[in-house]
Amino acid sequence: METKHKIELLGMDIQALEKYLLSLGEPKFRASQIYTWIYRKQVSSFYEMSDIPKELRARLDESAQISIPRVLKQRVSQDGTRKFLMEMNDKKKVETVVIPQSRDKHTRYSLCISTQVGCPVGCAFCATGQSGFQRNLAAYEMVGQVLGSRRELAKRLKTPDETLITNIVYMGMGEPMLNYEAMVESIRILNDHRGINIGQRHITVSTAGDVKGIERLAGEDLQVTLAISLHASNDELRSQLIPLNRKYPLHELMQAVKYYVDQTHRRVTFEYIMLDDVNIALEDAQALIKLVKPVLANVNLIPYNEVSGLEFRKPSSSAVSRFFGWLKEGGLEVTLREERGADIEAACGQLSARRDRKVR
Ligand code: SF4
């Protein structure tokens, strides 16, 4: 039997939803009601929309859908971090990570969302990069990860609190700048105060160094935080770790970052994964200081989370402190990221959307 093509309402902004309701001969205010059900209450069944007339609910159900992704599986780390395996309409799967901001019972959460199924960048240390690229996610699928996570979290924690998730980082599977339009569209939906209402300053876009994307983002009139996955302070090593560096070498990347800071007046974060015996020698620290010091930025050090099958190793805690100290003495704003979710392979670079992975 041929299935009727349904219109996807998730991902529509209020204007698009109004237009759709008007096309059905319905008054505009119905759009606001449905908007609230979708983005405030993460409801995906029209039959649950109690203030919508029954006849309209049935009509909507025939012609439209709200595809909040299903959480197929979740793993909970000892530190409270949760990794959700989410399934899209076409059965493609991505991982989304929910990170508690503290150990307090009433803590808020940050959410690390994916922008692509797999990733075409192929960073040498990253599980996602090793699994290849399948497709871009649509804006509604990015927004859907937020709603699906909020729904699941509310269920698990037994709370209807809409403000459980306060921060979003585009740092899951995929390179956000290679799915630029959908990524920006999703930010605008997440930011809308009538809906999910995440402040722009609570949203971080992380890139492996896509210069074109950084320059475009600088012109969007958005106050989001830009994070750059740097991981090396010379081109030779960086090209080995992040193949995108061959297209956009360090001097071009740094120019784009300075341009972003000039345009937005926002402090940029440089992420630096610390790989034992690879990028944490004294000369790496010195080159890093030289590179980053002229920019309004801080450096976030992340001790590597080992991925089975890859040769990279996590540095000892004394090597981590030594490198941290060099950067501090060199005058950089530097933070050491507390390790979250490594026991469930939810930490940076460990996402791969494989259902069969076991806790090590
Ligand atoms: S680190 Fe990011 S950009 Fe690099 S392969 Fe992994 S997901 Fe892609």
Side-chain angles (χ1 to χ4, degrees), residues 108-109 150 160-166:
R108 306 276 140 204
Y109 292 81
R150 206 164 68 178
D161 191 348
E162 289 166 8
T163 59
L164 274 175
I165 295 169
T166 54

Side-chain angles (χ1 to χ4, degrees), residues 179-345:
N179 189 9
Y180 185 88
E181 281 85 7
M183 182 262 296
V184 169
E185 203 183 319
S186 70
I187 290 176
R188 298 201 191 281
I189 296 166
L190 293 179
N191 179 232
D192 186 358
H193 65 94
R194 292 159 296 194
I196 299 173
N197 195 22
I198 307 266
Q200 289 182 14
R201 287 167 181 258
H202 293 263
I203 297 175
T204 299
V205 175
S206 175
T207 174
D210 186 282
V211 163
K212 221 170 103 203
I214 295 169
E215 289 169 352
R216 279 182 82 183
L217 195 62
E220 292 287 351
D221 196 22
L222 285 172
Q223 283 290 300
V224 297
T225 300
L226 176 68
I228 309 288
S229 300
L230 195 60
H231 311 330
S233 46
N234 67 73
D235 277 319
E236 197 191 334
L237 177 59
R238 195 162 189 275
S239 295
Q240 282 171 30
L241 297 175
I242 307 174
L244 191 64
N245 192 69
R246 294 188 200 119
K247 186 171 177 192
Y248 299 117
L250 278 168
H251 72 275
E252 280 185 40
L253 172 60
M254 295 310 286
Q255 258 177 9
V257 170
K258 283 179 193 151
Y259 176 71
Y260 186 87
V261 173
D262 283 349
Q263 295 296 307
T264 62
H265 310 291
R266 301 275 297 146
R267 181 180 283 273
V268 167
T269 300
F270 287 101
E271 309 283 353
Y272 196 94
I273 287 187
M274 304 173 77
L275 304 161
D276 196 30
D277 273 338
V278 174
N279 63 353
I280 53 170
L282 179 59
E283 49 276 27
D284 296 307
Q286 287 163 338
L288 188 57
I289 293 163
K290 206 166 148 202
L291 198 66
V292 171
K293 217 169 171 183
V295 187
L296 177 67
N298 56 287
V299 174
N300 191 17
L301 295 177
I302 310 158
Y304 184 58
N305 300 296
E306 292 180 13
V307 173
S308 53
L310 297 184
E311 81 222 56
F312 299 101
R313 292 289 155 253
K314 186 186 177 84
S316 66
S317 48
S318 60
V320 169
S321 321
R322 201 166 50 230
F323 195 72
F324 179 88
W326 288 330
L327 298 187
K328 268 266 184 230
E329 281 161 31
L332 293 190
E333 287 281 336
V334 47
T335 49
L336 183 61
R337 188 187 292 177
E338 197 193 327
E339 190 173 53
R340 310 303 289 272
D343 56 332
I344 55 163
E345 291 165 328

